[in-house]
Amino acid sequence: MQSFEFQGKTTDEAIEIACHKLNLSRDGMDIEIIEPGSAGIFGLVGIKKARIKVTTTTQQNENTEKSELIFEGNGLAIAKEALENILTLIPVKDAMVEAKHTDGTIALNIEGDKSGLLIGRKGKTLDALQFIVNKIVNKALEKRVHVVVDTENYRKRRIDFLIQMALKMGDKAKKIMKPVATNLLNPHDRRIVHLALREDEELDTRSRGDGVLKKVIIIPKR
């Protein structure tokens, strides 16, 4: 048996939240009211949320796990279909989409003779595809799910390139004892550069610029 706590504006709302989260009916749960909640004075002062404790059986937990597996399967199918539909509109000949779950992420890989054309300059086309598919999947599932779209192993090659670039620029900064700056990078790429140099005690890194795209400034410590 397992126990969970839930909160809501009222006891009924807390129970509804518990039913939704655990995928159970009221009859399938042992409910203990910890705090009945209070609307306070004029609904402004002294407001207290209702708190309940819900106990489930092993069998019920198994049902929840099965429901989660079904949810993941639906997410995988929706993501794959969304990307396939987009590719037919571009169009990309003989493109195939491979879909799988990897560490809580839906990974979509495009395979085909012309799949490399979908990368674009510095991965911008691939990033655009990924953005659209994420929007479609999250709206359909009404839950935030991270989808990664890749082709020809571009994502890993990009990470390797950024790490090597960061190390070389770090060496240059230490050699000339002056700050050096990368080109404009998106948040994901900037994070890779920061992490690549994080353990170097002779360097400091800072992001500089306005908007989504910023430079990483690599600064030697004196």
Side-chain angles (χ1 to χ4, degrees), residues 180-194:
V180 295
T182 67
N183 292 326
L184 293 172
L185 300 172
N186 62 40
H188 177 266
D189 288 356
R190 290 199 307 273
R191 183 172 182 272
I192 293 169
V193 173
H194 287 303

Side-chain angles (χ1 to χ4, degrees), residues 16-108:
E16 286 180 10
I17 292 172
C19 291
H20 177 72
K21 293 288 185 182
L22 300 176
N23 194 38
L24 296 171
S25 65
R26 288 195 182 202
D27 295 335
M29 301 184 296
D30 182 11
I31 301 169
E32 176 187 346
I33 299 175
I34 300 173
E35 170 62 58
S38 172
I41 302 172
F42 303 120
L44 297 172
V45 181
I47 299 173
K48 288 185 179 180
K49 285 191 173 183
R51 289 174 56 219
I52 62 171
K53 181 179 179 181
V54 175
T55 303
T56 65
T57 65
T58 303
Q59 181 61 45
Q60 289 166 339
N61 289 335
E62 288 175 359
N63 290 337
T64 302
E65 290 173 2
K66 288 178 182 178
S67 175
E68 188 64 25
L69 287 174
I70 293 172
F71 176 87
E72 290 181 355
N74 288 340
L76 207 66
I78 292 170
K80 185 174 185 291
E81 183 180 5
L83 183 55
E84 287 174 339
N85 289 338
I86 294 170
L87 293 177
T88 60
L89 297 174
I90 294 179
V92 179
K93 260 191 172 185
D94 302 322
M96 295 179 61
V97 177
E98 180 187 59
K100 62 181 179 180
H101 276 284
T102 305
D103 299 327
T105 297
I106 295 176
L108 302 178

Side-chain angles (χ1 to χ4, degrees), residues 108-131:
L108 302 178
N109 186 56
I110 305 168
E111 297 179 349
D113 292 339
K114 303 292 185 180
S115 61
L117 297 174
L118 297 172
I119 295 173
R121 186 172 181 272
K122 295 184 180 179
K124 286 184 178 180
T125 304
L126 206 58
D127 287 342
L129 289 172
Q130 181 171 292
F131 177 81

Side-chain angles (χ1 to χ4, degrees), residues 132-157:
I132 295 169
V133 174
N134 269 281
K135 286 289 186 183
I136 294 171
V137 174
N138 289 327
K139 184 176 181 180
L141 297 178
E142 296 183 345
K143 178 178 178 180
R144 185 166 180 77
V145 178
H146 185 48
V147 182
V148 174
V149 178
D150 198 5
T151 185
E152 296 189 355
N153 206 27
Y154 171 78
R155 299 292 182 192
K156 185 179 184 305
R157 289 190 287 113

